[in-house]
């Protein structure tokens, strides 16, 4: 419901007062470990994914039992695409161009958030094949593409090129789209708003507003983005 979602965003937007966190970029993205063994049924599902066409494997990854189990999802992504990484990354990049919220011809809502989430898992699993195409697509993409890339890039925010991309995106004031479930009086999110949320979340920046949301005025968002920029500037991360 509209009210409940607004309240959730409000409750998430609380100030945490402590020393600001320090951002440290790794030389390269941390490799995700998939060397563990799951139960026999899950292992069979994972093996079968590798035999499916890429688009069907992506669709299969949306199963609730896979999505709800991170270890299951990580291993499924790796074995589904380990021998066709570039093709999987290209498919994931295509998902970045799709509007997150839309409607069918008969008015039913479509939420493609899970597509962005799975794409982010692919980028994180295969950073060597993902980083450069992600940066290039951000540079030439429209506001929808850029915002989706920022959303998906949180999974590889420790990589220096992605970290710099997130910081640069704080200056991208293009409007993305209206968030599903918010009233028409709420302002749509911008690319810079999503970048703020990713930076604060993944680098654990303290003493700042935790989450920017559509219920906040643009002037309020800009105020908090400027605070974050000053924190980053103090650390020569600008």
């Amino acid at each position: 419901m509209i009210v409940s979602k607004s309240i959730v965003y409000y409750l998430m937007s609380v100030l945490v007062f402590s020393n600001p966190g320090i951002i440290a970029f790794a030389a390269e993205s941390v490799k995700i470990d998939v060397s563990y063994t799951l139960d026999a049924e899950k292992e069979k599902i994972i093996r079968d994914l590798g035999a499916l066409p890429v688009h069907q494997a992506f669709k299969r990854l949306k199963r609730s039992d896979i999505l709800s189990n991170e270890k299951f999802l990580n291993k499924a992504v790796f074995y589904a695409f380990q021998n066709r990484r570039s093709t999987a990354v290209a498919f994931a990049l295509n998902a970045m161009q799709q509007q997150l919220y839309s409607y069918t011809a008969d008015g039913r809502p479509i939420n493609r958030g899970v597509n962005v989430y799975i794409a982010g898992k692919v980028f994180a699993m295969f950073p060597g094949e993902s980083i450069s195409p992600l940066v290039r697509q951000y540079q030439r993409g429209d506001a929808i593409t850029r915002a989706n890339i920022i959303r998906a890039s949180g999974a590889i925010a420790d990589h220096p090129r992605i970290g710099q991309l997130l910081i640069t995106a704080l200056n991208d004031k293009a409007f993305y789209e209206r968030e599903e479930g918010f009233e028409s009086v709420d302002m749509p999110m911008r690319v810079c708003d999503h970048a703020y949320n990713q930076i604060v979340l993944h680098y654990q920046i303290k003493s700042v507003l935790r989450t920017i949301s559509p219920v906040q005025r643009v002037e309020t968002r800009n105020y908090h983005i400027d605070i974050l920029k000053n924190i980053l500037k103090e650390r020569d991360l600008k």
Side-chain angles (χ1 to χ4, degrees):
M1 295 177 61
I2 291 173
V3 173
S4 63
K5 287 192 176 183
S6 297
I7 291 174
V8 167
Y9 261 106
Y10 173 77
L11 293 175
M12 290 172 67
S13 302
V14 296
L15 289 173
V16 178
F17 295 99
S18 59
N19 292 329
I22 297 176
I23 297 178
F25 298 137
E28 58 183 26
S29 293
V30 177
K31 184 177 180 180
I32 299 174
D33 177 31
V34 293
S35 61
Y36 46 83
T37 301
L38 301 172
D39 65 58
E41 182 180 357
K42 291 183 175 65
E43 291 290 346
K44 183 181 184 306
I45 291 172
I46 289 169
R47 289 194 302 272
D48 292 344
L49 282 170
L52 294 175
V54 168
H55 71 282
Q56 289 186 14
F58 264 86
K59 185 176 181 179
R60 191 69 59 85
L61 289 169
K62 297 179 184 179
R63 287 175 41 154
S64 59
D65 58 333
I66 298 178
L67 282 176
S68 61
N69 185 327
E70 186 170 17
K71 295 184 73 173
F72 191 4
L73 178 58
N74 284 341
K75 191 167 186 176
V77 167
F78 179 77
Y79 283 100
F81 307 124
Q82 63 170 328
N83 297 320
R84 43 187 177 168
R85 301 181 182 195
S86 296
T87 303
V89 168
F91 190 91
L93 284 170
N94 184 64
M96 299 297 96
Q97 303 175 51
Q98 300 174 350
Q99 190 171 359
L100 201 62
Y101 302 106
S102 61
Y103 293 89
T104 62
D106 58 356
R108 290 182 293 112
I110 299 174
N111 184 339
R112 299 186 179 89
V114 67
N115 295 352
V116 174
Y117 178 68
I118 293 174
K121 285 292 186 180
V122 172
F123 301 147
M125 189 62 67
F126 309 117
E129 292 77 15
S130 300
I131 302 297
S132 292
L134 267 174
V135 173
R136 284 197 301 270
Q137 185 146 326
Y138 179 90
Q139 292 170 340
R140 67 190 182 198
D142 59 12
I144 288 176
T145 299
R146 297 197 305 276
N148 284 336
I149 287 175
I150 293 302
R151 283 175 181 257
S153 292
I156 45 176
D158 58 317
H159 191 284
R161 291 186 67 188
I162 297 302
Q164 190 57 55
L165 180 66
L166 292 173
I167 293 170
T168 300
L170 288 173
N171 296 313
D172 190 339
K173 298 187 183 300
F175 283 98
Y176 174 42
E177 61 179 321
R178 191 172 305 283
E179 298 287 330
E180 184 67 21
F182 286 95
E183 297 183 25
S184 60
V185 295
D186 296 327
M187 291 296 292
M189 292 284 278
R190 302 168 299 173
V191 178
C192 57
D193 301 328
H194 289 299
Y196 177 100
N197 290 342
Q198 293 290 347
I199 290 171
V200 171
L201 172 64
H202 291 284
Y203 300 128
Q204 299 180 12
I205 307 296
K206 308 299 182 182
S207 299
V208 297
L209 189 74
R210 306 315 300 160
T211 307
I212 283 178
S213 76
V215 301
Q216 296 157 337
R217 298 173 55 193
V218 168
E219 294 81 4
T220 301
R221 302 182 207 174
N222 289 341
Y223 171 77
H224 290 289
I225 288 173
D226 286 341
I227 290 176
L228 178 59
K229 285 181 179 179
N230 287 332
I231 290 174
L232 300 178
K233 188 180 296 184
E234 292 173 0
R235 288 158 179 73
D236 294 326
L237 294 169
K238 54 188 175 179

